[in-house]
Structure formats: C-alpha cells, structure tokens
C-alpha cells in the first residue's frame, strides 16, 4: 500500500478540443511547484492527476499544501494505492482510515468503478467494503445521509485507491491559459485580491506599483513585495515594475485644480501601466476598484480614467463590498499585511473635496498644463523591475 495524491480537475474537463492544452499547462505547473518538496511522479489519466512519491525524501505533507494553492484543481485527496482485488481494498480501507474510523460513530462507503472489467459493480463493492469495516470496527453504524466519515473507493484501470473526504482545491483554470495582464498594485486590501481573482481565471500577472519618495517610504514598497509574494503562492512567479511617480504628482499639485488631483493621477497611472503592459505583451490592465467605494470609483470617474487607454481594463471587484473583499483577503493570507500602516502614493496630495462626477473635457483641459506625453515616456523608461516568487520556490 503506497500513499499518494489524487487530483480532481475542475472546468478543464469541459474545454473540448482545447482540453489537452489546459492539462499540459496544469501538469507543468504542478511539477514546478512540487520541485522543492521532493521527487514525485506526476501523470494524468481518466480526468485525474496522480502524484506518487518516488522515494522517501518526498514530503507528501508539503506537496499536499502546495497542491491546494494551484489553480485548475477542484479537489485533492491523500490516498492509499493498492491492488485491484476486493480483499486488498478492504484491508487498505481499514488500515489507511483506521484513525478516522476509530473516532467516528457513523460512516458510509462510496465507490467509483471506471474499470468495467472489475468483477463487482460499485454498489456491490461499497456493500462488501462496508461489511468488512463493520466487522473491524464494531462500534460503527452505517449512515448514508449524514455520516461522520465517508470512505471513498476508486477502481481505476491500473490500481485501486482508498481515501477519505477530498479537500477543496483552488478552483479556476491554470495560470497562463487566460493570457497576460498588468495589475496596478498598491499596498491596500483590494488590489492583491483582484490579482488573485484574475490569476484564478488563468491570467499570468505583471505587477505595476507606483511609489512617490520621499512622500512614501521604502517600507511601503517592502509591503507590496510581501503582498505579491503571498499572491504568488497561487499565481506563480511574476515581474514587479516600480514606477517613481513623484514628479507627476508634484506637477499635478502645482498646476491643476485640487478637486481633480485624484482623477488626473489615475489617468497618468493608466497611461504608464499601459506602456509597461505593452512592453510585456499583456492584453489587459487590472485594477482593484469597486464601484462607489471612493471618489475616483464612480461611473463617471472610471469612464474618465479609461478614456486614456486602448486596452481593456478588468475590475474583478467592481460589484463587491468591503466585507466580501476582506473575506477573500483573509482566505488567501494577504489581510494582515494589507492593514499595516504604510501609506502608498494614492494617499499623497489627496484633495479635500474631490470631484466625483468629473467632466472629461474639463479634465483634458487641466492636463494641458503638463507635458503628458513626455512625463509618461520618462516614467516608463525609468521603471525598475524585479521578479517576485514565494520563498517555497527557492
């Protein structure tokens, strides 16, 4: 009896003629993510991925933790692999799930038989395995509706498997199958969640962060690095471009109406992010905006912001409230870092009474006081970048 991981695919199985492409990307991602946890044999058959340790150095606990953060996986289980005989399955179920069964009062057995040559059907296998377990654990009773433990038996072409209740995976589709997008990342709650949500839809991320020294501190930049490291546990490695935004913000402060500071700043950000996105081969920009959350996120303000870019702008949080965003931030582990009190450039020169319904013509007139094209070109040319990856990848 060997212990291994059984991986269940999600919507990949519905991809028709493109399914093989999605599976190939997922297998490559799994092998890469598991490289630091030891040597594993990874293969796919019958809509299931099998991960078997090659030797004793393979850390199955660490492998299971990493598998739970890979997009494209709907569920996974630690399982015992055994011979395809009824006796072997019965013994494996009793031995592998002994601890769970000893502490339970009720159980049931569920069987999937994809190997139709096996002499017993699924109901018969469940009945025989259930009867054996009742003899081994006489304190148990069968409850088919709400059992304490579900014993899963799978009879497949090359082996039989026994496991308990599957754990939920990250869902979504593999990163890299949904194109490439540039996420405008701040140190707040919203943008890391937006990054995670787009990575879940298969988008490979390039991050763009705007810093305004000396008004923002190096600790604010470090906070962004740490947030992206947490996101990268799910999304994989990404590039982070840091834009020095001070000159533009000071010119907006000195030359433009105060009530337009925020909307003008956002327009410059979109132009610069688009320039970086084009260099990186991205097909879209991504922001963490939620409709009506702040003055720059009204319909009119968003329309005024988007007018300066030719790229589509994805806003995965647009219809979410703060409670929903916080819930996801806690789930993915970014919440505690996001609430650290280091300000980003969005809080620099904040107007007392920002315009919530800006007139586009008035905004464009205000921009004439600056060399917009020159400022954007300098910012794009002078950005610095680094690669972000979670420490488990080495």
């Amino acid at each position: 009896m060997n212990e291994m991981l059984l991986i269940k695919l999600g919507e990949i199985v519905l991809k028709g003629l493109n399914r093989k492409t999605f599976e190939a990307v997922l297998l490559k991602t799994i092998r890469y993510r598991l490289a630091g946890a030891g040597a594993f044999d990874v293969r796919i058959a019958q809509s299931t991925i099998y991960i078997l340790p090659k030797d004793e150095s393979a850390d199955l606990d660490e492998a299971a933790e990493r598998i739970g953060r890979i997009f494209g996986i709907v569920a996974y289980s630690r399982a015992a692999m055994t011979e395809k005989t009824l006796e072997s399955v019965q013994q494996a179920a009793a031995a592998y799930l002994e601890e769970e069964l000893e502490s339970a009062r009720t159980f049931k057995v569920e069987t999937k038989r994809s190997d139709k040559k096996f002499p017993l059907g699924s109901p018969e296998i469940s009945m025989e395995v259930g009867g054996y377990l009742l003899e081994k654990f006489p304190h148990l009773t069968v409850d088919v509706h709400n059992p304490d433990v579900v014993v899963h038996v799978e009879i497949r072409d090359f082996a039989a498997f026994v496991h308990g209740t599957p754990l939920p995976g990250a869902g979504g589709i593999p990163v890299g199958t949904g194109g490439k997008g540039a996420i405008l990342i701040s140190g707040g709650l919203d943008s890391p969640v937006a990054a995670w949500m787009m990575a879940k839809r298969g988008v490979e991320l390039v991050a763009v962060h705007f810093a305004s020294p000396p008004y923002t501190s190096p600790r604010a930049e470090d906070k962004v690095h740490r947030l992206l490291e947490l996101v990268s546990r799910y999304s994989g490695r990404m590039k982070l471009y840091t834009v020095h935004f001070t000159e533009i913000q000071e010119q907006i402060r000195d030359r433009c109406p105060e009530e337009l500071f925020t909307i003008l700043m956002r327009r410059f950000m979109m132009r610069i992010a688009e320039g970086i996105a084009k260099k990186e081969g991205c097909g879209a920009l991504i922001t963490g905006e939620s409709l009506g959350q702040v003055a720059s996120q009204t319909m009119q303000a968003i329309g005024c912001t988007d007018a300066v870019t030719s790229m589509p702008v994805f806003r995965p949080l647009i219809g979410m409230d703060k409670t929903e965003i916080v819930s996801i931030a806690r789930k993915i582990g970014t919440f505690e870092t996001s609430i650290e009190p280091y300000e980003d450039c969005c809080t620099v020169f904040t107007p007392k009474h920002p315009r919530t319904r800006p007139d586009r013509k008035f905004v464009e007139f205000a921009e004439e006081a600056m060399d917009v094209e020159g400022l954007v070109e300098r910012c794009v040319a002078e950005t610095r970048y680094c690669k972000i990856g979670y420490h488990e990848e080495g």
Side-chain angles (χ1 to χ4, degrees):
M1 180 177 67
N2 297 314
E3 189 176 23
M4 43 89 71
L5 294 172
L6 282 180
I7 310 299
K8 303 298 182 181
L9 305 184
E11 60 185 277
I12 290 178
V13 300
L14 305 175
K15 295 301 179 181
L17 296 177
N18 293 322
R19 177 173 169 177
K20 292 293 183 182
T21 301
F22 284 80
E23 290 177 345
V25 173
L26 180 57
L27 289 172
K28 181 179 178 180
T29 301
I30 289 173
R31 292 187 179 108
Y32 174 73
R33 297 281 189 90
L34 294 185
F40 293 88
D41 179 39
V42 181
R43 57 174 166 158
I44 187 170
Q46 298 174 309
S47 300
T48 301
I49 295 175
Y50 304 84
I51 300 177
L52 187 66
K54 288 184 177 181
D55 52 49
E56 293 183 357
S57 67
D59 188 340
L60 203 61
D61 292 332
E62 180 65 24
E65 185 176 343
R66 296 185 185 194
I67 286 296
R69 295 194 294 261
I70 296 177
F71 291 127
I73 296 171
V74 69
Y76 64 101
S77 307
R78 292 180 69 144
M81 183 171 69
T82 187
E83 296 179 4
K84 282 197 303 181
T85 66
L86 179 61
E87 182 180 37
S88 294
V89 171
Q90 289 173 325
Q91 293 174 354
Y96 188 65
L97 298 175
E98 179 180 9
E99 185 175 339
E100 294 178 54
L101 293 169
E102 285 284 6
S103 60
R105 292 183 299 175
T106 60
F107 81 108
K108 74 172 180 177
V109 180
E110 290 187 357
T111 301
K112 292 182 179 178
R113 185 192 63 145
S114 58
D115 180 6
K116 303 306 178 185
K117 295 179 181 179
F118 196 79
L120 297 177
S122 296
E124 290 80 14
I125 296 170
S126 294
M127 183 176 65
E128 294 292 336
V129 173
Y132 181 85
L133 294 177
L134 285 172
E135 291 181 4
K136 287 288 184 179
F137 305 93
H139 69 284
L140 289 174
T141 58
V142 174
D143 183 348
V144 297
H145 299 294
N146 189 31
D148 296 331
V149 174
V150 179
V151 177
H152 293 268
V153 176
E154 300 187 30
I155 308 296
R156 296 189 171 268
D157 287 350
F158 54 89
F161 303 89
V162 175
H163 60 87
T165 302
L167 296 172
I173 56 178
V175 173
T177 59
K180 196 172 183 180
I183 172 74
L184 281 72
I185 189 85
S186 70
L189 279 162
D190 302 338
S191 53
V193 172
W196 177 85
M197 290 180 71
M198 293 309 301
K200 187 175 182 179
R201 299 313 307 157
V203 175
E204 181 184 350
L205 299 173
V206 173
V208 182
H209 173 63
F210 294 86
S212 298
Y215 305 106
T216 57
S217 71
R219 289 187 176 183
E221 287 190 49
D222 175 68
K223 177 182 175 181
V224 169
H225 280 248
R226 288 183 285 119
L227 283 170
L228 289 176
E229 286 175 358
L230 294 170
V231 173
S232 74
R233 294 185 302 170
Y234 297 88
S235 68
R237 289 184 179 182
M238 70 184 86
K239 284 183 179 179
L240 166 62
Y241 283 85
T242 301
V243 179
H244 276 200
F245 204 50
T246 309
E247 181 185 5
I248 290 176
Q249 287 191 288
E250 288 178 337
Q251 286 205 23
I252 292 173
R253 177 198 62 190
D254 296 339
R255 302 184 182 187
C256 300
E258 182 184 0
E259 68 269 19
L260 296 180
F261 282 2
T262 302
I263 194 67
L264 290 169
M265 179 187 69
R266 296 292 298 174
R267 282 165 65 91
F268 271 100
M269 286 180 171
M270 298 300 274
R271 292 182 179 108
I272 294 165
E274 182 179 44
I276 294 170
K278 288 179 177 178
K279 285 172 57 177
E280 283 291 329
C282 298
L285 302 178
I286 305 163
T287 77
E289 292 165 299
S290 173
L291 186 63
Q293 184 170 238
V294 294
S296 64
Q297 295 175 18
T298 63
M299 283 190 181
Q300 294 86 348
I302 288 173
C304 194
T305 299
D306 285 3
V308 301
T309 177
S310 60
M311 280 188 171
V313 181
F314 296 151
R315 294 178 170 89
L317 313 186
I318 195 68
M320 299 176 68
D321 61 31
K322 209 65 176 181
T323 301
E324 294 168 312
I325 296 168
V326 166
S327 177
I328 297 175
R330 291 186 184 278
K331 172 185 173 181
I332 66 177
T334 58
F335 177 79
E336 295 298 334
T337 304
S338 289
I339 63 174
E340 290 178 5
Y342 302 124
E343 294 184 338
D344 58 41
C345 72
C346 295
T347 61
V348 177
F349 310 137
T350 302
K352 293 180 180 179
H353 303 289
R355 183 73 64 89
T356 59
R357 293 175 174 81
D359 184 294
R360 180 173 159 185
K361 291 182 180 179
F362 185 41
V363 172
E364 291 171 350
F365 177 76
E367 284 180 338
E368 292 179 5
M370 295 179 292
D371 177 15
V372 173
E373 187 175 331
L375 287 167
V376 171
E377 286 181 359
R378 282 202 300 277
C379 270
V380 173
E382 295 172 4
T383 54
R384 51 188 171 83
Y385 83 89
C386 63
K387 293 182 179 180
I388 299 288
Y390 193 57
H391 63 79
E392 70 185 19
E393 297 176 344

